[in-house]
Amino acid sequence: MSTVEKVAAPVGRVHSWDLSTGVDGPGTRFVLFLSGCPLRCLYCANPDTWRMRDGRRTTADEVMARIEQHRPFLEAAGGGVTLSGGEPLLQAAFTGEILRRCRALGLHTALDTSGFLGTRASHALLRHTKLVLLDVKSYDPAAYRRLTGGRLAPTLAFARRLEGLGVPVWIRYVLVPGWTDDDASVDALGAFLSGLGNVERVDVLPFHKLGAAKYDALGIPFPLRDTPVPDRGLVRRVRDRFAAHGLRAC
């Protein structure tokens, strides 16, 4: 007698979820924050997402049930679903499954990633991704290494791959005084991005210290505690430098 095995729903490690409007993609977004990240950005506001094992074990069915609850509102608000982290490509199979199921429902999908693990994003995963929010931490390789502990090259390679596949991209650039405000580096990044045909906008995100309490709770030193937040003039200057390269800077 033949038997049919029931295929288990993919399981991931989820930190939390939230509803947001702003830089997580168009319209109102259901943002799923996955646990685990290979980088250790000095300005990270969510050190509680670094370790995958700290996330809640969650099935794709559970995630989709939650998304379904908000689906009418997301559709009415012209929004969709954004997978963030941590780094969602650290759990590429789980991330790909959520993206696939969301697209099957007709929901707009976005992937928020540093691109450091871009090689883990299969063509199938990217086929179900309508927008990539690509976090470029710095365009200077040495500064990138000091700021994140990782390498810049994988992110740039991923950016070029996304262009080749025609996947729309929003760049996220965290502006940290003394770290990412160098005119030459900003101009070099602007020149690189303007050479790509799929970059729709550059979001210059002012560095903040809202995550400092999380570091205290975890007993981890916050490396940039004494770094000032950028003033409006600096933010405007950096946005203007990106705009000078023909980019839509927000």
Side-chain angles (χ1 to χ4, degrees):
M1 183 176 66
S2 63
T3 60
V4 178
E5 293 185 0
K6 182 178 180 180
V7 178
V11 175
R13 291 283 179 174
V14 173
H15 174 269
S16 58
W17 65 271
D18 197 5
L19 293 176
S20 76
T21 301
V23 296
D24 294 305
T28 299
R29 315 294 297 182
F30 180 101
V31 184
L32 185 70
F33 297 94
L34 300 182
S35 293
C37 185
L39 301 179
R40 292 295 181 266
C41 300
L42 299 184
Y43 56 71
C44 180
N46 298 300
D48 49 338
T49 67
W50 286 349
R51 301 188 302 182
M52 193 184 302
R53 65 176 179 269
D54 291 338
R56 177 176 173 270
R57 189 177 183 276
T58 308
T59 67
D61 290 344
E62 290 177 288
V63 171
M64 294 309 301
R66 177 78 70 173
I67 291 173
E68 282 277 16
Q69 293 175 6
H70 299 277
R71 181 182 171 190
F73 175 67
L74 296 175
E75 291 177 332
V81 176
T82 298
L83 272 70
S84 186
E87 171 51 67
L89 291 180
L90 195 60
Q91 302 184 58
F94 185 70
T95 291
E97 178 66 8
I98 300 300
L99 292 170
R100 183 189 68 79
R101 294 193 189 191
C102 287
R103 288 302 300 145
L105 294 177
L107 289 169
H108 182 277
T109 53
L111 175 69
D112 179 9
T113 176
S114 70
F116 184 69
L117 299 179
T119 55
R120 295 194 181 191
S122 66
H123 279 11
L125 183 153
L126 294 175
R127 207 165 43 242
H128 299 304
T129 302
K130 299 296 288 183
L131 173 69
V132 170
L133 308 174
L134 185 60
D135 303 306
V136 181
K137 317 293 185 176
S138 171
Y139 195 69
D140 177 81
Y144 191 100
R145 172 72 77 175
R146 293 193 301 271
L147 192 61
T148 71
R151 296 184 300 115
L152 171 63
T155 295
L156 302 185
F158 188 54
R160 295 186 186 97
R161 181 181 169 208
L162 293 172
E163 183 198 23
L165 294 174
V167 180
V169 168
W170 290 7
I171 297 296
R172 297 165 69 108
Y173 187 78
V174 179
L175 178 57
V176 187
W179 286 89
T180 63
D181 58 346
D182 176 74
D183 288 346
S185 182
V186 171
D187 283 338
L189 176 57
F192 171 76
L193 297 176
S194 65
L196 302 176
N198 60 332
V199 176
E200 295 184 344
R201 59 190 268 181
V202 178
D203 288 310
V204 178
L205 308 176
F207 161 69
H208 61 75
K209 303 181 186 181
L210 299 180
K214 294 183 178 181
Y215 284 84
D216 294 338
L218 293 170
I220 302 172
F222 181 31
L224 301 186
R225 189 180 298 272
D226 297 326
T227 299
V229 299
D231 59 34
R232 292 182 180 179
L234 177 57
V235 174
R236 184 169 55 251
R237 188 190 88 203
V238 171
R239 285 175 177 161
D240 287 346
R241 296 196 84 87
F242 281 121
H245 290 274
L247 299 162
R248 179 189 172 198
C250 304

